[in-house]
């Protein structure tokens, strides 16, 4: 049976809090603040909305930054929890999640580009307003692309973590198994979408990542309220070293 | 030399190399070449000092490599105090370096636009320069985003210094305060851009903590470590 040390228990609470926060921040930033301003296939209307609600867009930017920082804390906590199960696999999972966090920051930069294009910057007056609006819409669209480039990495990270949850028995095995399936599905669907952009007309975009997001949220609540436990037979690949500050 | 003392010296030397190279790309070259709000003047300056601009791009990239080396050097020095916090510190460093690497592409795009080329003849020169200036400004915006991570890594770093037992506690506290300074600056740049320069001037005393820890590591190094002391201290956190 795998020994759960104090640093893992603390990390589990941190992972629980940051996991819930991540979902709250990204839902608020993307769906409450940003999405209502974007009008599909109408760059002029989108531009007018963005300029009329600049502070709202900038708050969305702050949400995206906080989300990235939050993901870094989350991946560190998950690494600490899962390292005893398999150090190399835990590290690979953490690095995949890191790539996803970085792509969120790129999305933030694209939004800043859109704001600058639509602003009253003197040197951009050489462009017609419709040209500038089209360029700004391109920046907003790039924001969307950044997410779908990052999504396979998020899916891979979640698949690895779910597999390790399953092996460890730290959470219920049925939940971990759901995580493996939903995360692997996310990787496959995101890759298919990148190859065939019309794939989202067959399978709605929300079906790509929502099951995985639900899994991540359920794990976060599990860690917060139930903590780590031997929920099933633990098959640790590696016995943890006790850290300097952990309780014996 | 004791391994901790040696690790401290190495971290100090790596830190010094970053402190020497970073201001060149971050401050000197932009101040010399970029004319705010004037795309033509900026483009003309960059083309007239193309090699300087290219060296600043290389300097930018080298700076991020050094930052990663610094993260690893500090991890080696401080991971015995608390591996989790040391890991978090390195994670923030890696994100910052990756964002920095990708952000360099904005300066390269600006250079391509200013230089022009056959495929860019569809744009008239004024439009080309305007687009080039946009990429120069986006590079600055990328740095504003990165300021969040320039700050965040300082919190675990400061905490580890504070509880290390071989580095002064006041430096640890100062580093943790700097974390909030950088985050406040980044948020100011994104939400209230017109107040950024004032905020940057006001925040200077807070931000000098990195210079202080660099000098301390380089000149004083680490006291003979007391792992037991650090362990007992961290348990009480």
């Amino acid at each position: 049976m795998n020994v759960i040390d104090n640093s893992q228990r603390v990390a589990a609470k941190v992972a629980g809090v940051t996991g819930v926060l991540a979902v709250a921040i990204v839902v608020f930033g993307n769906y409450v603040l940003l999405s209502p301003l974007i009008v599909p296939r109408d760059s002029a209307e989108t531009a007018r909305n963005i300029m009329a609600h600049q502070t709202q867009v900038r708050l969305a930017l702050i949400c995206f930054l906080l989300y990235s920082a939050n993901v870094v804390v989350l991946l560190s906590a998950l690494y600490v929890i899962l390292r005893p199960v398999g150090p190399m696999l835990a590290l690979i999972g953490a690095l995949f999640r890191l790539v996803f966090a970085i792509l969120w920051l790129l999305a933030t930069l694209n939004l800043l580009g859109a704001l600058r294009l639509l602003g009253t910057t003197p040197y951009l007056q050489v462009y017609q307003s419709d040209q500038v609006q089209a360029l700004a819409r391109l920046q907003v669209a790039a924001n969307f692309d950044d997410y779908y480039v990052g999504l396979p990495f998020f899916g891979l990270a979640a698949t690895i973590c779910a597999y390790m949850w399953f092996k460890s028995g730290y959470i219920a095995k049925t939940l971990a198994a759901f995580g493996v399936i939903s995360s692997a599905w996310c990787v496959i669907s995101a890759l298919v979408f990148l190859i065939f952009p019309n794939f989202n007309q067959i399978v709605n975009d929300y079906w790509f990542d929502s099951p995985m997001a639900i899994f991540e949220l359920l794990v976060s609540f599990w860690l917060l309220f139930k903590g780590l436990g031997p929920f099933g037979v633990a098959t640790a690949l590696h016995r943890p070293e006790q850290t300097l500050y952990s309780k014996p | 030399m004791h391994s901790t003392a040696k690790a401290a010296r190495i971290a100090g030397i790596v830190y010094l190399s970053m402190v020497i190279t970073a201001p060149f790309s971050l401050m000197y070259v932009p101040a010399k070449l970029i004319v705010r709000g004037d795309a033509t003047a900026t483009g003309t300056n960059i083309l007239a000092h193309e090699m300087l601009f290219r060296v600043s791009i290389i300097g930018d990239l080298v700076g991020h490599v050094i930052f990663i080396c610094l993260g690893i050097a500090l991890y080696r020095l401080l991971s015995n105090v608390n591996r989790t916090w040391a890991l978090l510190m390195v994670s923030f460093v890696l994100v910052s370096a990756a964002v920095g690497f990708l952000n360099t592409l904005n300066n390269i795009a600006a250079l391509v636009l200013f230089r022009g080329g056959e495929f860019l003849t569809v744009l008239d020169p004024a439009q080309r320069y305007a687009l080039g200036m946009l990429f120069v400004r986006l590079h600055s915006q990328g740095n504003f985003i990165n300021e969040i991570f320039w700050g965040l890594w300082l919190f675990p770093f400061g905490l580890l210094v504070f509880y290390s037992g071989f580095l002064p506690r006041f430096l640890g506290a100062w580093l943790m305060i700097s974390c909030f300074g950088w985050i406040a600056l980044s948020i100011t740049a994104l939400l209230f851009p017109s107040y950024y320069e004032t905020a940057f001037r006001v925040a200077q005393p807070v931000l000098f903590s990195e210079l202080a820890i660099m000098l301390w590591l380089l000149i004083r190094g680490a006291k003979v470590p007391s792992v037991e002391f650090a362990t007992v201290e961290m348990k009480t956190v």
Side-chain angles (χ1 to χ4, degrees):
Chain A
M1 183 64 70
N2 202 15
V3 178
I4 298 167
D5 69 21
N6 194 44
S7 64
Q8 285 176 288
R9 293 196 191 284
V10 174
K13 293 294 173 205
V14 173
V17 171
T18 50
V20 173
L21 266 179
V23 174
I25 291 170
V26 84
V27 166
F28 182 71
N30 195 43
Y31 296 106
V32 177
L33 294 176
L34 188 62
S35 289
L37 304 179
I38 296 166
V39 183
R41 289 173 293 281
D42 191 342
S43 52
E45 188 60 28
T46 302
R48 273 191 291 276
N49 281 344
I50 288 176
M51 291 321 289
H53 303 90
Q54 271 201 65
T55 307
Q56 190 173 326
V57 177
R58 288 181 181 276
L59 281 173
L61 290 174
I62 299 287
C63 285
F64 294 166
L65 284 180
L66 289 176
Y67 177 75
S68 292
N70 193 70
V71 169
V72 175
V73 179
L74 174 64
L75 71 88
S76 303
L78 288 173
Y79 176 74
V80 171
I81 298 167
L82 298 170
R83 183 180 51 201
V85 184
M88 184 53 79
L89 216 48
L91 181 64
I92 294 169
L95 290 176
F96 279 145
R97 211 177 278 262
L98 196 64
V99 173
F100 180 67
I102 291 161
L103 281 156
W104 263 97
L105 292 173
L106 280 187
T108 311
L109 195 55
N110 283 327
L111 273 182
L112 278 169
L115 275 178
R116 186 163 286 276
L117 277 164
L118 296 172
T120 52
T121 318
Y123 61 80
L124 287 169
Q125 304 307 314
V126 292
Y127 286 97
Q128 303 292 324
S129 62
D130 56 341
Q131 288 177 317
V132 169
Q133 285 165 358
L135 279 172
R137 188 66 185 88
L138 188 67
Q139 289 287 104
V140 175
N143 185 35
F144 182 81
D145 292 337
D146 290 336
Y147 177 72
Y148 281 100
V149 169
L151 194 56
F153 291 95
F154 183 17
L156 282 169
T159 308
I160 289 171
C161 287
Y163 169 73
M164 296 182 84
W165 288 124
F166 188 86
K167 292 284 284 182
S168 66
Y170 290 156
I171 63 170
K173 284 197 175 249
T174 44
L175 179 59
F178 168 64
V180 172
I181 295 165
S182 58
S183 309
W185 158 251
C186 178
V187 177
I188 294 163
S189 55
L191 290 175
V192 170
F193 179 59
L194 288 172
I195 301 166
F196 305 106
N198 292 332
F199 181 58
N200 64 348
Q201 289 170 9
I202 302 164
V203 179
N204 187 286
D205 316 23
Y206 285 101
W207 279 106
F208 296 179
D209 50 6
S210 297
M212 181 178 73
I214 290 167
F215 162 70
E216 292 254 319
L217 194 60
L218 287 175
V219 170
S220 302
F221 281 120
W222 187 288
L223 295 175
L224 266 181
F225 297 111
K226 299 197 85 165
L228 296 174
F231 300 98
V233 181
T235 53
L237 306 173
H238 175 78
R239 189 163 287 281
E241 292 167 23
Q242 294 285 316
T243 52
L244 282 169
Y245 56 93
S246 61
K247 285 177 186 164
Chain B
M1 193 185 281
H2 191 278
S3 62
T4 305
K6 191 178 168 188
R9 296 282 185 210
I10 291 171
I13 292 165
V14 178
Y15 225 142
L16 176 68
S17 62
M18 195 172 85
V19 169
I20 291 170
T21 54
F24 175 75
S25 300
L26 281 173
M27 296 160 89
Y28 174 72
V29 174
K32 190 170 168 62
L33 301 182
I34 298 171
V35 183
R36 295 195 77 167
D38 191 338
T40 309
T42 302
T44 309
N45 276 347
I46 287 176
L47 289 177
H49 303 91
E50 194 178 324
M51 187 48 74
L52 181 69
F53 192 66
R54 285 182 185 277
V55 171
S56 87
I57 290 171
I58 301 288
D60 225 0
L61 295 172
V62 169
H64 302 309
V65 172
I66 296 174
F67 194 24
I68 293 172
C69 295
L70 176 64
I72 301 297
L74 290 172
Y75 180 85
R76 224 177 122 231
L77 175 67
L78 297 164
S79 59
N80 278 344
V81 180
N82 185 313
R83 205 189 292 175
T84 308
W85 284 104
L87 177 75
L88 187 63
M89 175 183 74
V90 174
S91 300
F92 284 134
V93 168
L94 288 178
V95 173
S96 170
V99 171
F101 276 121
L102 290 169
N103 195 30
T104 309
L105 278 175
N106 282 320
N107 269 349
I108 294 171
L111 188 59
V112 169
L113 282 159
F114 288 137
R115 281 170 60 89
E118 203 175 317
F119 71 98
L120 286 170
T121 51
V122 291
L123 299 174
D124 65 48
Q127 288 180 324
R128 201 158 44 75
Y129 273 53
L131 213 50
M133 186 67 179
L134 176 75
F135 279 104
V136 168
R137 300 309 301 165
L138 278 181
H139 181 262
S140 309
Q141 300 285 316
N143 285 338
F144 292 147
I145 287 174
N146 225 349
E147 280 177 359
I148 288 262
F149 292 90
W150 294 347
L152 280 173
W153 84 287
L154 292 176
F155 190 83
F157 179 25
L159 198 73
L160 291 166
V161 167
F162 193 86
Y163 287 109
S164 65
F166 50 80
L167 290 168
R169 280 175 173 251
F170 82 92
L171 283 177
W174 195 359
L175 285 165
M176 284 188 276
I177 294 168
S178 294
C179 158
F180 297 106
W182 279 115
I183 292 172
L185 275 178
S186 181
I187 291 173
T188 305
L190 296 173
L191 283 182
F192 316 104
S194 53
Y195 293 101
Y196 179 79
E197 282 183 13
T198 311
F200 190 77
R201 275 197 299 275
V202 171
Q204 282 308 304
V206 170
L207 305 182
F208 272 119
S209 64
E210 286 195 73
L211 200 61
I213 186 77
M214 184 273 289
L215 289 172
W216 190 280
L217 289 169
L218 207 61
I219 298 165
R220 297 289 298 271
K223 280 193 298 187
V224 176
S226 168
V227 173
E228 293 76 16
F229 171 77
T231 307
V232 170
E233 288 290 299
M234 284 304 279
K235 272 182 181 174
T236 61
V237 177

